[in-house]
Amino acid sequence: MKKFRKILSLALAGLMIAGLAACGTKTPTTPTETATFKAGTYDGEADGFHGKIKVKVTVTATEITDIKVEHTETEGLGDKAVEKIVEMVKVNTSLKVDAVTGATYSSKGILEAITAALKAAGADVEKLKAKEIASGETKGDVEKTADVIVIGGGGAGLAAAVSAHQNGAKVIVVEKMSRLGGNTMISGSAYNAADSSRQSALTMTALEKQTVENIIAGTYEDALVKTWQETLKKEWTEYLASGKTTLFDSPSLHKLQTYLGGDKKGTPELIDVFADNAYPAIEWLESLGMEFKDYVFTVLGGLWNRAHKPEKPLGTGFMETYENYLEKNKADIEVILDTTAKEFIVKDGAVVGVACEGKNGKVTLNATKGVVLATGGFGANVEMRNEYNTVLWPDLTNVKTTNHTGATGDGIVMAEAVDAKLMGMEYIQLLPMGDPVTGSLSGNIEQGVQNRIFVNKEGVRFVDEGARRDTMTKALMEQTDAYMWVIVDKNSYPTGDTKNNFNETIDDLVAAGRAFKADTLEDLAKQIGVDPVAFVKSVEDFNKAVDGAAKDEFGRTLFDKKIDTAPFYAGARVPTVHHTMGGVSINANAQVIDANGNVIKGLYAAGEVTGGLHGTNRLGGNALADINVFGRIAGKNAATMK
């Protein structure tokens, strides 16, 4: 997440009136004007998603002439909400402005800050909140036709749109939100793929060797999975014979860890395609202009050092890459926002389009070749979560989510209406890494799995911090108030301006009270309210395991550095809903399968709207690989298959 300091001014120089710089300076009104404000410049502030949003609003007696904003909202998401709302308020002299979908906290913050300033200017705030804004849009029904229709403008949908166009199709992307991005935009951006080049910088540990050997020695029933086992055994034998000491990895190991990580419930045919194409999809993204850092790391619940990190924070690198391609090819790719897909259009047993509802009427989109469903999961739909949450978790009604507000399962419902088979709907993934206030991933101070520990409110470790996501979350739910502290030291943050995986500096997090800093473990324990004796012992025991002087009490196998160098840091975390593994069934060609096991002609799907790949539990870092691998496949096949 890119956190930045930005000054925004939307005023035109010609509109500035001399003397307005000083607060409270009055400008006389003409007899025909009705005074709305006391002319001058006024300050206002409110809480945004990442801290205070501060504004300076300049008004005449009847107009808002300038709004300057200082904020630290997310680049590509929160900042866009701020810009849009500032423009709408200023142009319309109205506070009756809708929040920007997907950026609720940023929208609320900027509106509250502007409201405070206008209140200081003597405005009738309630009257401004009731003032209508003219849309200026043409009303009426619309019908359009393209070769491929893509439903959903997140990562999977845009990967499909780009791929379809590369394979000769004219494309329309329809998105219900007022922006593109979906969950991809607000993701942590980790992308799993076996990559010998980047992994050659890492040294294989004895515990990692044992992990590979345990996987090879496992018992597998599925014929395809057995071929992975045999391939891995051969690769491992060759690795040992070579005398190499660098980190071992291969698509075969990735497949087996994905399969085992989902309790052998994942569909082997999908896993096979997924892992074989994960790195080629990175190369595809790079060919489109995307840049990745030259190292890999282990993301939370990823189980192995194969997560790639984009150069740009959050999902901005992915989205900018897709959107740049769309912009260059806008003659062939149309994007329609604020338009909700309602139902598929079916003719002679084939899906040939989608009926949508726009802000001003019906929108009918016809596909001459295929339709790609890429609407994401249902993590933000509490009712739907509760309907399907029958296996893994207690009541999730009051559990927040990392998902954007549009992740409500609409596409799954649409697909079910045309007899698509649903699978794995009961498998809902929670993380132990939610912000206690928002449920989001922002504010998380971990930099990677190897160099941090978790302690509960008593200051005691309670789980293997390198385990599966469901394992860690279940353990957290058993702790006091289901609340924990992530503990790191200077090894994770060499300087105060070092940023976390969401582009937030540790100094800013400490200043905002979202993290705590101390020069001793005892002082840190005091600041976060845990027992100092138990806390210090937890850290010391962990450090002994890092040294190999003692076996880790929770069986942890992923280590790097000890936590022994001041300053020490702590950040609070709680369980949060993150991913829904279930969805519509697809085959290796990304074609949607019906309840009888047959292909639904003309309908393809990719991303979190699908089920089958991850089984009961998704490995951290597999989602962004999933959306690009199967988005690319879905787009190509929608454009070319008959």
Side-chain angles (χ1 to χ4, degrees):
M1 180 177 296
K2 185 157 186 184
K3 185 178 173 186
F4 63 101
R5 185 68 55 179
K6 182 174 181 181
I7 303 294
L8 171 67
S9 178
L10 295 180
L12 296 174
L15 293 179
M16 294 300 291
I17 299 175
L20 289 181
C23 290
T25 303
K26 293 186 177 182
T27 300
T29 65
T30 67
T32 59
E33 291 178 318
T34 302
T36 302
F37 313 108
K38 292 181 292 183
T41 299
Y42 300 88
D43 295 329
E45 71 172 53
D47 291 328
F49 191 67
H50 284 299
K52 293 293 184 182
I53 297 177
K54 299 179 180 181
V55 302
K56 286 186 178 293
V57 180
T58 300
V59 296
T60 66
T62 58
E63 293 181 294
I64 300 171
T65 59
D66 189 26
I67 302 177
K68 290 185 172 68
V69 186
E70 183 179 347
H71 69 83
T72 55
E73 299 304 282
T74 309
E75 184 177 13
L77 181 59
D79 67 327
K80 299 299 183 185
V82 169
E83 290 178 11
K84 181 176 180 178
I85 288 173
V86 165
E87 181 179 9
M88 294 297 290
V89 169
K90 180 176 176 292
V91 169
N92 294 279
T93 317
S94 171
L95 291 173
K96 191 174 183 179
V97 179
D98 292 334
V100 175
T101 48
T104 305
Y105 285 95
S106 299
S107 300
K108 182 173 181 287
I110 184 62
L111 274 172
E112 288 182 352
I114 293 172
T115 299
L118 293 179
K119 187 174 181 180
D124 183 337
V125 169
E126 294 306 314
K127 185 176 179 180
L128 290 176
K129 287 180 178 180
K131 184 180 178 183
E132 294 290 344
I133 293 177
S135 69
E137 298 177 2
T138 302
K139 296 185 181 296
D141 297 344
V142 175
E143 184 168 359
K144 294 174 178 285
T145 300
D147 297 320
V148 174
I149 305 298
V150 177
I151 310 170
L158 296 194
V162 171
S163 178
H165 180 263
Q166 288 181 328
N167 284 276
K170 290 186 180 294
V171 183
I172 295 175
V173 179
V174 59
E175 166 59 50
K176 74 174 183 179
M177 309 296 275
S178 58
R179 63 168 180 85
L180 297 173
N183 277 340
T184 301
M185 177 61 86
I186 57 175
S187 69
S189 77
Y191 181 122
N192 279 347
D195 179 353
S196 59
S197 176
R198 288 178 175 89
Q199 289 169 321
S200 66
L202 301 170
T203 300
M204 190 88 170
T205 69
L207 289 173
E208 287 167 338
K209 289 180 179 179
Q210 188 61 56
T211 295
V212 176
E213 289 170 0
N214 290 343
I215 290 172
I216 291 173
T219 300
Y220 306 98
E221 301 298 328
D222 184 86
L224 180 55
V225 176
K226 286 181 179 179
T227 68
W228 305 340
Q229 182 184 28
E230 289 303 313
T231 300
L232 179 60
K233 184 177 180 180
K234 180 180 178 182
E235 292 168 340
W236 184 241
T237 300
E238 291 172 352
Y239 170 84
L240 294 176
S242 73
K244 291 180 180 178
T245 59
T246 56
L247 182 69
F248 170 84
D249 199 7
S250 71
S252 297
L253 179 59
H254 192 185
K255 292 172 190 179
L256 283 162
Q257 286 189 302
T258 298
Y259 185 64
L260 293 169
D263 295 317
K264 301 182 180 180
K265 298 289 186 183
T267 305
E269 290 76 15
L270 297 182
I271 297 173
D272 196 57
V273 171
F274 162 73
D276 281 342
N277 287 279
Y279 187 72
I282 282 182
E283 295 178 308
W284 176 65
L285 287 164
E286 289 175 330
S287 75
L288 296 173
M290 187 168 176
E291 296 180 338
F292 290 87
K293 294 184 182 295
D294 61 1
Y295 63 84
V296 291
F297 68 105
T298 306
V299 69
L300 178 85
L303 307 184
W304 207 251
N305 250 316
R306 63 168 68 96
H308 294 68
K309 189 180 182 71
E311 284 288 348
K312 295 195 173 181
L314 269 92
T316 56
F318 292 99
M319 294 310 301
E320 285 182 12
T321 300
Y322 304 136
E323 290 181 296
N324 286 342
Y325 185 94
L326 267 58
E327 177 63 24
K328 290 176 183 177
N329 297 281
K330 58 186 178 183
D332 295 328
I333 306 173
E334 181 180 0
V335 176
I336 304 174
L337 301 176
D338 293 310
T339 301
T340 303
K342 291 294 187 180
E343 61 182 359
F344 292 111
I345 300 170
V346 180
K347 183 178 181 181
D348 298 328
V351 172
V352 296
V354 59
C356 310
E357 189 67 40
K359 280 189 171 182
N360 301 304
K362 295 179 180 179
V363 178
T364 302
L365 302 176
N366 303 304
T368 61
K369 293 185 176 180
V371 175
V372 178
L373 180 65
T375 50
F378 57 95
N381 186 333
V382 174
E383 183 178 346
M384 198 167 181
R385 276 167 21 190
N386 287 344
E387 177 185 354
Y388 289 105
N389 177 39
T390 58
V391 176
L392 299 179
W393 308 106
D395 182 34
L396 297 178
T397 301
N398 296 316
V399 178
K400 295 180 174 66
T401 181
T402 64
N403 287 202
H404 79 117
T405 55
T408 51
D410 306 5
I412 295 173
V413 175
M414 284 176 57
E416 192 175 22
V418 292
D419 203 31
K421 177 183 177 182
L422 303 187
M423 61 187 303
M425 294 293 289
E426 66 272 32
Y427 303 135
I428 298 172
Q429 181 171 80
L430 271 67
L431 292 184
M433 283 296 177
D435 180 276
V437 176
T438 66
S440 76
L441 294 177
S442 71
N444 180 12
I445 66 172
E446 72 170 7
Q447 295 284 32
V449 167
Q450 280 84 347
N451 298 316
R452 51 87 171 118
I453 61 171
F454 305 155
V455 299
N456 57 23
K457 281 193 167 184
E458 289 69 47
V460 178
R461 285 181 66 212
F462 55 90
V463 71
D464 168 9
E465 298 92 345
R468 289 168 30 161
R469 291 175 166 186
D470 53 352
T471 299
M472 291 185 285
T473 306
K474 287 175 182 177
L476 176 56
M477 284 182 160
E478 295 173 356
Q479 308 309 305
T480 302
D481 299 327
Y483 195 98
M484 74 176 189
W485 297 95
V486 178
I487 308 299
V488 297
D489 69 352
K490 188 174 182 177
N491 288 314
S492 292
Y493 291 94
T495 63
D497 59 1
T498 303
K499 295 177 179 178
N500 64 4
N501 291 326
F502 296 87
N503 217 48
E504 302 160 310
T505 71
I506 192 65
D507 276 355
D508 283 343
L509 290 173
V510 171
R514 302 177 73 196
F516 295 85
K517 174 183 179 181
D519 289 329
T520 67
L521 291 172
E522 290 81 1
D523 185 26
L524 188 63
K526 181 179 179 181
Q527 289 188 48
I528 65 177
V530 304
D531 177 60
V533 175
F535 179 58
V536 171
K537 184 177 186 302
S538 292
V539 176
E540 289 177 344
D541 288 349
F542 168 77
N543 289 341
K544 290 176 183 177
V546 176
D547 279 340
K551 184 177 180 180
D552 183 74
E553 63 180 305
F554 299 103
R556 177 166 164 167
T557 61
L558 296 173
F559 300 98
D560 183 16
K561 296 179 176 66
K562 293 189 288 187
I563 298 174
D564 63 356
T565 307
F568 302 97
Y569 298 95
R573 298 281 101 180
V574 298
T576 184
V577 173
H578 185 58
H579 191 95
T580 49
M581 275 75 71
V584 302
S585 176
I586 60 171
N587 62 18
N589 292 319
Q591 295 169 293
V592 176
I593 306 301
D594 71 15
N596 296 314
N598 301 312
V599 167
I600 298 178
K601 188 177 180 181
L603 184 58
Y604 303 80
E608 197 173 345
V609 75
T610 66
L613 175 61
H614 306 293
T616 63
N617 170 71
R618 178 177 66 78
L619 298 193
N622 272 5
L624 283 165
D626 172 17
I627 65 173
N628 282 286
V629 167
F630 283 101
R632 190 181 179 196
I633 291 170
K636 176 182 178 180
N637 289 339
T640 61
M641 289 187 75
K642 296 181 179 179

